[in-house]
Amino acid sequence: MFVGDDWAEDHHDVEVMDSSGRRLAKARLPEGVAGMARLHTILGGLAGDEADEVEVLVGIETDRGPWVRALVAAGYTVLAVNPLQAARFRDRLGVSGAKSDPGDAHVLADMVRTHAHELRPIAGDTAQGEAVKVVTRTHKTLIWERTRHTQRLRHALRDYFPAALVAFTDLDAADTLQLLAKAPTPAQAARLTTAQISAALTRARRKNIADKAAAIQAALRAEHLGQPEVVTAAYAASVQALIAVLTVLNTQINAMQGQVEAYFGQHPAVEIITSQPGLGQVLGARVLAEFGDDPHRYTTAKARKNYAGTSPITRASGKKKVALARFIHNDRLIDALMTQAFSALRHSPGARAYYDRQRARGCEHNAALRQLANRLVGILHGCLKTGTLYDETTAWSHHIESLAA
């Protein structure tokens, strides 16, 4: 039996179809235990005495959550369908543009009936791997939020307090936030003493405190264009609100980093992942979280590279053939892998030589870095499959031999 499950926050529209495409049942089920029990009842009634011999394939546009976990636990084969795939499949069944939740359930059921062999089953990640994903995603989300609020702070300061942008290079740093909170207007900042500035720098554990304090004070006392007093006061109130948010974000980011390191440190693959060049505790945790830890999910290194989005896609038509970068990918994963590749340039002679070789061939920096990331994904795949730690010589031996030849 083939089940299409169009999910919403509080309900699921489901349709059950047989192998010939005939609709066996349709229903709207509530989210939660009651809805899952009704789904089991519907499927059990349709299967009858042959329930143990009937395979149930469920198509749903998500791969996580309690509902999906319950489907997997019940023994159903759950296929994660990309919403873009479902939308394209819907266009094959009709061109009117009509759309409804029951209609989407029908599309998903028909899709798993005819294309189950091309859809990705839900990965069997361990609970420990899921826990790592939860904390790493929260940690990265908080970092992104800090960046957004820092940009808002920068724009506000540029409009009424440009001297602050000259005085402070890191607007989200603890000493910067302390000084701006103490003196959010140009007039107040100009009255800050070197002792007050030095105290903030000391609490932030800065070096060359005397020189930096003098430079900050000089920048804050320099003449700049400003705003009327009432406008400046309004901007100051807004900046203080942003500073309060950034202060909390800094505290929680540090706290979540501790959680990331704690959960990742308990995972069986931690030694293999952190042995890779450019991967430490935090970055390694992100890579593990986004790849998952199901050992059977990626059958080949190519499959892992394709999911990572580091491998190119080929467009060929007639005599024209081009290789392009993938723009549809997991943003969190590609961010971690590109950061790893950049860091590996300083820690791995083989990675550095590989990158330099791509640059010598005419590749731009980003393209060469993406190719290096692609190569590092293949190395990681081999290490995870064989359960071995990274070895510099083994990883790059064939490249070294080809260069020597």
Side-chain angles (χ1 to χ4, degrees):
M1 290 186 293
F2 306 92
V3 180
D5 186 336
D6 184 68
W7 69 278
E9 184 175 339
D10 59 351
H11 67 272
H12 295 256
D13 283 281
V14 299
E15 178 171 322
V16 185
M17 189 179 291
D18 65 13
S19 58
S20 66
R22 182 170 59 93
R23 179 191 296 160
L24 301 178
K26 61 180 296 186
R28 170 165 288 191
L29 309 177
E31 170 71 23
V33 176
M36 185 58 62
R38 283 185 57 190
L39 177 61
H40 294 334
T41 301
I42 292 171
L43 295 176
L46 293 173
D49 297 334
E50 300 178 355
D52 294 338
E53 301 177 4
V54 174
E55 182 181 8
V56 177
L57 281 74
V58 182
I60 186 170
E61 293 178 327
T62 183
D63 61 354
R64 60 184 181 272
W67 183 273
V68 173
R69 287 293 177 187
L71 292 174
V72 174
Y76 306 146
T77 300
V78 183
L79 304 174
V81 179
N82 187 293
L84 181 59
Q85 289 177 301
R88 297 283 173 82
F89 196 88
R90 186 190 308 116
D91 292 339
R92 293 173 56 186
L93 303 181
V95 296
S96 66
K99 183 183 183 303
S100 66
D101 292 344
D104 288 346
H106 173 78
V107 168
L108 290 169
D110 202 38
M111 195 172 183
V112 297
R113 181 180 68 88
T114 58
H115 290 75
H117 59 290
E118 296 179 349
L119 298 175
R120 176 174 59 86
I122 296 294
D125 293 335
T126 65
Q128 189 65 39
E130 285 290 331
V132 173
K133 179 187 288 188
V134 170
V135 293
T136 54
R137 286 195 168 186
T138 300
H139 180 241
K140 185 61 178 178
T141 299
L142 290 176
I143 291 175
W144 282 336
E145 286 299 317
R146 179 173 63 184
T147 300
R148 293 188 182 97
H149 281 81
T150 301
Q151 291 302 319
R152 295 186 181 108
L153 176 61
R154 180 179 297 279
H155 289 313
L157 292 173
R158 184 187 60 189
D159 287 343
Y160 88 103
F161 191 2
L165 300 181
V166 178
F168 306 116
T169 55
D170 298 326
L171 292 181
D172 58 358
D175 51 340
T176 300
L177 296 177
Q178 290 175 18
L179 292 172
L180 285 176
K182 188 177 185 65
T185 67
Q188 292 172 329
R191 293 194 294 270
L192 288 174
T193 65
T194 54
Q196 291 173 314
I197 298 173
S198 298
L201 295 175
T202 301
R203 286 191 291 270
R205 299 180 180 180
R206 299 291 188 180
K207 298 180 179 178
N208 302 322
I209 292 177
D211 294 340
K212 290 181 178 179
I216 291 173
Q217 186 183 57
L220 293 175
R221 293 183 176 181
E223 293 187 3
H224 290 274
L225 298 177
Q227 297 275 10
E229 184 176 349
V230 64
V231 177
T232 297
Y235 269 116
S238 300
V239 162
Q240 285 181 317
L242 290 171
I243 290 171
V245 173
L246 284 168
T247 301
V248 173
L249 283 172
N250 281 337
T251 300
Q252 295 306 314
I253 286 170
N254 291 333
M256 285 307 302
Q257 180 172 334
Q259 293 295 320
V260 169
E261 294 172 351
Y263 279 98
F264 181 54
Q266 299 172 11
H267 197 278
V270 61
E271 292 188 13
I272 294 176
I273 292 177
T274 54
S275 71
Q276 309 295 311
L279 288 185
Q281 290 289 323
V282 174
L283 206 58
R286 291 178 189 165
V287 170
L288 170 69
E290 300 308 324
F291 272 131
D293 60 358
D294 182 355
H296 307 295
R297 181 174 184 179
Y298 309 100
T299 56
T300 63
K302 179 65 174 175
R304 189 182 290 269
K305 292 176 181 179
N306 289 345
Y307 178 77
T310 54
S311 61
I313 57 174
T314 302
R315 291 186 180 274
S317 178
K319 297 181 179 180
K320 185 177 180 181
K321 183 178 181 180
V322 294
L324 304 173
R326 292 175 184 262
F327 291 99
I328 304 299
H329 49 61
N330 182 327
D331 291 342
R332 294 174 183 269
L333 179 56
I334 197 68
D335 175 79
L337 293 174
M338 293 294 280
T339 304
Q340 178 202 0
F342 185 75
S343 179
L345 296 178
R346 301 190 303 271
H347 298 93
S348 168
R352 181 78 227 189
Y354 186 85
Y355 169 84
D356 291 341
R357 185 180 181 184
Q358 306 311 312
R359 293 303 305 271
R361 293 171 53 193
C363 290
E364 297 294 334
H365 169 72
N366 283 340
L369 205 62
R370 186 170 56 251
Q371 292 187 42
L372 174 58
N374 192 51
R375 173 61 188 157
L376 290 171
V377 170
I379 294 171
L380 173 63
H381 179 81
C383 291
L384 290 173
K385 280 293 184 181
T386 58
T388 57
L389 300 181
Y390 172 84
D391 180 78
E392 180 77 13
T393 303
T394 304
W396 304 99
S397 59
H398 64 290
H399 289 281
I400 296 173
E401 291 171 1
S402 63
L403 286 173

